[in-house]
Amino acid sequence: YTNQSYWQPYSNSNSSPFRETSHEPEVFVLFRNDWEIFGWRNSVSALGFNHQSNGRPVPLSRSWNRLYANFVFDHGDWLISFKPWYRIPEKEKTNPLQADGDDNPDILDFMGYAETRIMHKKNNRVFTMMLRNNLTSDGLGAVELTYSYTLYANLKGYVQYFNGYGESLIDYNARSNRISIGVAISDWL
């Protein structure tokens, strides 16, 4: 289960202190592997089901269900993760205010069909790049660059840059450009 909240403490007119909270329960099976291709070891693969929702009522409700695979390859201090997915179709709404049915039928146009993460670890620092695209020439997708570093034991500080679509569910179809700082309890590496 992943829960992601977007703080907005400075905006009393909209929704303070949180702008959006995304809930993401999932079920998956991990396969530990040890095969290589071109010197890269496929250390882990996963198959899973993912539900992502903001838990809000219509018309602000956003959700989707996916089946996915995730292939993780490592080589020394480098790690590459490739995660394609298939969106489970939902029935169309006849009225945008009805509770059941597809809240966001065009989400694949903005979130694409897969994401790739490339990570490099150097001492206690991790550099990560996430790329997502819908495989068309219209430029929809996203890039996220993260630099994280150890503050104390497993506590990490990070700086992150995001540009593109799908940063949050409420704004999946709006381009956003942000820089953020924060702390994390764990990291990919």
Side-chain angles (χ1 to χ4, degrees):
Y1 176 80
T2 302
N3 190 10
Q4 191 170 24
S5 295
Y6 295 88
W7 283 67
Q8 186 172 282
Y10 54 84
S11 179
N12 291 330
S13 63
N14 288 323
S15 178
S16 179
F18 291 103
R19 174 164 167 36
E20 173 79 344
T21 297
S22 174
H23 310 277
E24 197 167 350
E26 62 185 313
V27 176
F28 57 89
V29 178
L30 279 175
F31 303 97
R32 296 209 181 270
N33 302 316
D34 201 21
W35 60 274
E36 287 190 19
I37 184 168
F38 304 116
W40 288 82
R41 180 175 62 106
N42 176 225
S43 51
V44 175
S45 294
L47 297 173
F49 166 79
N50 172 281
H51 169 76
Q52 189 176 19
S53 170
N54 65 356
R56 296 181 69 180
V58 180
L60 297 176
S61 175
R62 304 285 185 273
S63 66
W64 61 327
N65 296 312
R66 297 179 281 176
L67 297 174
Y68 69 86
N70 194 5
F71 306 99
V72 179
F73 294 88
D74 62 75
H75 180 74
D77 293 339
W78 290 88
L79 188 135
I80 295 176
S81 166
F82 177 65
K83 183 179 180 181
W85 52 72
Y86 167 76
R87 182 181 186 200
I88 298 172
E90 297 177 67
K91 71 177 189 174
E92 286 187 43
K93 289 186 174 194
T94 55
N95 176 344
L97 297 178
Q98 73 187 63
D100 61 332
D102 196 345
D103 292 323
N104 31 256
D106 62 346
I107 196 166
L108 287 176
D109 294 342
F110 299 94
M111 297 294 284
Y113 300 91
E115 75 180 27
T116 300
R117 288 187 187 272
I118 302 169
M119 290 154 267
H120 178 65
K121 184 173 184 175
K122 183 88 170 164
N123 300 323
N124 289 327
R125 296 171 177 84
V126 178
F127 303 89
T128 307
M129 177 173 61
M130 183 277 298
L131 301 169
R132 196 170 50 225
N133 192 282
N134 66 2
L135 304 177
T136 65
S137 62
D138 55 15
L140 301 179
V143 62
E144 182 181 81
L145 305 172
T146 306
Y147 167 71
S148 64
Y149 49 92
T150 302
L151 293 172
Y152 177 78
N154 288 332
L155 187 65
K156 313 271 185 180
Y158 71 88
V159 177
Q160 189 175 78
Y161 170 73
F162 181 92
N163 184 305
Y165 294 87
E167 179 192 23
S168 69
L169 274 179
I170 195 71
D171 293 327
Y172 76 90
N173 57 356
R175 181 175 210 87
S176 63
N177 189 19
R178 68 147 168 90
I179 295 176
S180 59
I181 58 173
V183 293
I185 298 171
S186 67
D187 211 337
W188 281 86
L189 294 173

